[in-house]
Amino acid sequence: MDSNSHLMEFKPLDTNTLHNETSKAIDFLAKYYNDVEKYPVRCQFEPGYLRELVPDSAPSLPEHVDKIIEDINTKVVPGLTHWQSPNFFAYFPASVSNAGLLGEILCSGLNVVGFSWISSPAATELEAIVMDWMAKLLNLPQEFLFSGGGGGVMHGSTSEAFVCTLAAARDRVLDKHGSEKITKLVVYASDQTHFSFQKAVKLVGIPPQNFRVIPTSSSQDFALSPLLLKTAIEGDIAQGLVPLYVCATVGTTPSNSVDPVHDLGFVARDYGVWLHVDAAYAGSACICPEYRHYLDGVDLVDSISMNLHKWLLTNLDCSCLWLKTPKTLVDSLSTKAELLKNKATDIGNVIDYKDWQIGIGRRFRALKLWIVISRYGSANLIAHIRSDIELAKYFESLIEQDTRFELVVPRKFALVCFRLTPTGVDASGNVMNQKLLEDINCSGEAFMTHAMLGGTFAIRCAIGGSLTEKNHIDKLWNLIQDKATKRVEAYLMH
């Protein structure tokens, strides 16, 4: 057969083979999830391993889907860090579910680009609907719902929410004081705020020297102090600077600390500062009535964001941002290109989500969230959160029963920060705990990460994997105890 015949037969979207090929992918994933516990959780290969296994040039002729899947299985999968392993306890979870996967398939399959209402009306309207659904599940104030003058949008990450809201706050202030004042704008965060916030601040043009990091302490569970914030703001005003934006966090990455939203809200209101709440991880827990109090005071904030792809079974990516006054965001980010003009937009009674985000093109994420909520219902989503927190409480109790260990900070959600206490050889215990963590991760049996909290090296155990059960917590604890015993013996011998 002439090699050109492959090109003549080429049909990139072939409904005759679509079912067969996608079924093979689903079969592969089903087997992967069944087998994922067998793999070392953290990739054990050295950098550059994959270049030794794949050709250095792209194939000119098509390969069969069976070969491609086999290559994935033998070359790619062994080099993954397996986020869906039930023994993955690092960072924060990236939860998955049947409904989330179904939503991803349909989102990708339909492949609509809903940058404006006219480009795909159902995509726009469904997003507005499910954002209101989630707002009601979280018991957010009416002002954050479309029916109350606010509204929500889905981004790919919290980083995008930071950039967009910072830009809106910046432009609102510059419209009032003049564009030359950009060098005078100041933003505020705690030393526990996610590092992506500082990156976002740079992207919107705030001078690095105008980024204020408010120190936290263990005595306040590493929460942002309203008094210290107020002092910092007043100090900047005295120097002729313009306070712009405060980032509060509900569930910080290092320790899961919760900033006092209510009290910070009054400080921000008194000085006309935009207050954003980053609830990327822990916000999902606030659908449970017993955890909703962590959002008390949200009526005083300008915006709030959370990542449902972390803990609420909505496969990556799905980051939700709500605003009280979306017009401020739209005024900052809107585009009026001739190519995009249409009657619906001109009338002004529709949402054009291109004006709510950094880019123009966007995925149909709303379909995925709609399927997750519809398939499971709020009752099962609440039960899922509570189940993970119960596992964290169980792990916490195991630590408290072993006098060699201690909790570094009180547990609030499903993150447990702990350490092996010093033996006298390493006064702070930091070196010993760092080596203990590496012993655990190098075993391939589990994967955790760490945080520095008030100068203390803390091991973070983030529970929330979709496949994690109580027996995996027991297995993790046995591994920790075994490695700790060997590590202490090594210190004493040294």
Side-chain angles (χ1 to χ4, degrees), residues 92 192 221-222 249-259 281-282 294 311 409-417 453 460:
F92 279 131
Q192 301 296 302
D221 291 343
F222 299 101
T249 308
V250 173
T252 62
T253 298
S255 65
N256 256 193
S257 59
V258 175
D259 293 337
Y281 162 71
Y294 287 117
W311 203 3
V409 291
R411 179 206 53 76
K412 286 187 174 66
F413 302 102
L415 174 70
V416 181
C417 296
L453 299 173
R460 297 172 68 261

Side-chain angles (χ1 to χ4, degrees), residues 83-133:
W83 283 68
Q84 303 315 319
S85 169
N87 301 308
F88 183 96
F89 303 101
Y91 312 113
F92 279 131
S95 61
V96 300
S97 66
N98 286 19
L101 180 57
L102 175 61
E104 273 295 316
I105 292 171
L106 293 173
C107 171
S108 297
L110 293 173
N111 206 35
V112 300
V113 187
F115 50 79
S116 62
W117 180 87
I118 198 69
S119 70
S120 198
T124 296
E125 296 193 10
L126 187 61
E127 183 159 341
I129 290 168
V130 296
M131 288 301 295
D132 274 1
W133 277 12

Side-chain angles (χ1 to χ4, degrees), residues 185-228:
L185 302 181
V186 187
V187 299
Y188 305 84
S190 84
D191 56 13
Q192 301 296 302
T193 303
H194 197 274
F195 54 84
S196 61
F197 180 63
Q198 188 166 8
K199 183 176 182 178
V201 170
K202 291 171 62 179
L203 287 172
V204 300
I206 308 299
Q209 66 270 22
N210 291 4
F211 183 86
R212 300 286 181 265
V213 179
I214 310 296
T216 61
S217 67
S218 58
S219 63
Q220 299 295 319
D221 291 343
F222 299 101
L224 175 58
S225 164
L227 179 58
L228 292 181

Side-chain angles (χ1 to χ4, degrees), residues 240-439:
L241 299 174
V242 181
L244 175 71
Y245 186 111
V246 175
C247 181
T249 308
V250 173
T252 62
T253 298
S255 65
N256 256 193
S257 59
V258 175
D259 293 337
V261 175
H262 182 269
D263 293 344
L264 294 171
F266 281 109
V267 175
R269 187 183 67 177
D270 288 345
Y271 295 96
V273 178
W274 185 294
L275 177 59
H276 177 78
V277 172
D278 168 21
Y281 162 71
S284 294
C286 296
I287 66 172
C288 305
E290 65 270 29
Y291 298 107
R292 173 56 179 77
H293 67 91
Y294 287 117
L295 292 182
D296 285 355
V298 72
D299 54 301
L300 299 170
V301 314
D302 295 277
S303 54
I304 178 173
S305 61
M306 60 188 64
N307 293 348
L308 305 189
H309 58 242
K310 276 187 165 65
W311 203 3
L312 211 63
L313 304 175
T314 310
N315 303 38
L316 194 72
D317 55 10
C318 183
S319 182
C320 295
L321 168 66
W322 290 271
L323 303 106
K324 270 187 183 174
T325 55
K327 184 180 183 300
T328 307
L329 187 76
V330 171
D331 288 347
S332 178
L333 304 179
S334 64
T335 52
K336 306 295 184 183
E338 180 67 31
L339 178 67
L340 301 180
K341 288 183 178 179
N342 62 86
K343 184 177 180 180
T345 296
D346 290 343
I347 294 174
N349 62 348
V350 297
I351 300 167
D352 287 341
Y353 271 124
K354 67 179 177 59
D355 298 331
W356 294 54
Q357 61 176 34
I358 297 172
I360 301 299
R362 60 200 325 272
R363 305 177 69 236
F364 194 1
R365 296 186 185 95
L367 183 64
K368 179 172 55 175
L369 180 56
W370 181 56
I371 291 172
V372 168
I373 297 175
S374 300
R375 182 70 183 88
Y376 299 134
S378 61
N380 277 311
L381 294 175
I382 289 172
H384 159 70
I385 296 292
R386 287 173 173 165
S387 175
D388 287 340
I389 292 176
E390 286 304 312
L391 287 179
K393 289 179 179 178
Y394 174 63
F395 181 68
E396 178 185 40
S397 72
L398 295 175
I399 292 171
E400 292 174 332
Q401 292 169 26
D402 190 326
T403 57
R404 297 177 301 168
F405 293 87
E406 66 180 8
L407 297 170
V408 179
V409 291
R411 179 206 53 76
K412 286 187 174 66
F413 302 102
L415 174 70
V416 181
C417 296
F418 68 100
R419 69 168 185 158
L420 181 63
T421 52
T423 63
V425 179
D426 171 23
S428 68
N430 286 350
V431 174
M432 181 171 57
N433 278 280
Q434 184 175 2
K435 292 185 176 181
L436 170 60
L437 178 60
E438 191 60 20
D439 291 343

Side-chain angles (χ1 to χ4, degrees), residues 135-155:
K136 291 176 181 177
L137 287 177
L138 293 161
N139 195 25
L140 294 183
Q142 182 70 22
E143 301 100 295
F144 285 102
L145 276 67
F146 282 98
S147 58
V153 58
M154 293 182 181
H155 289 164

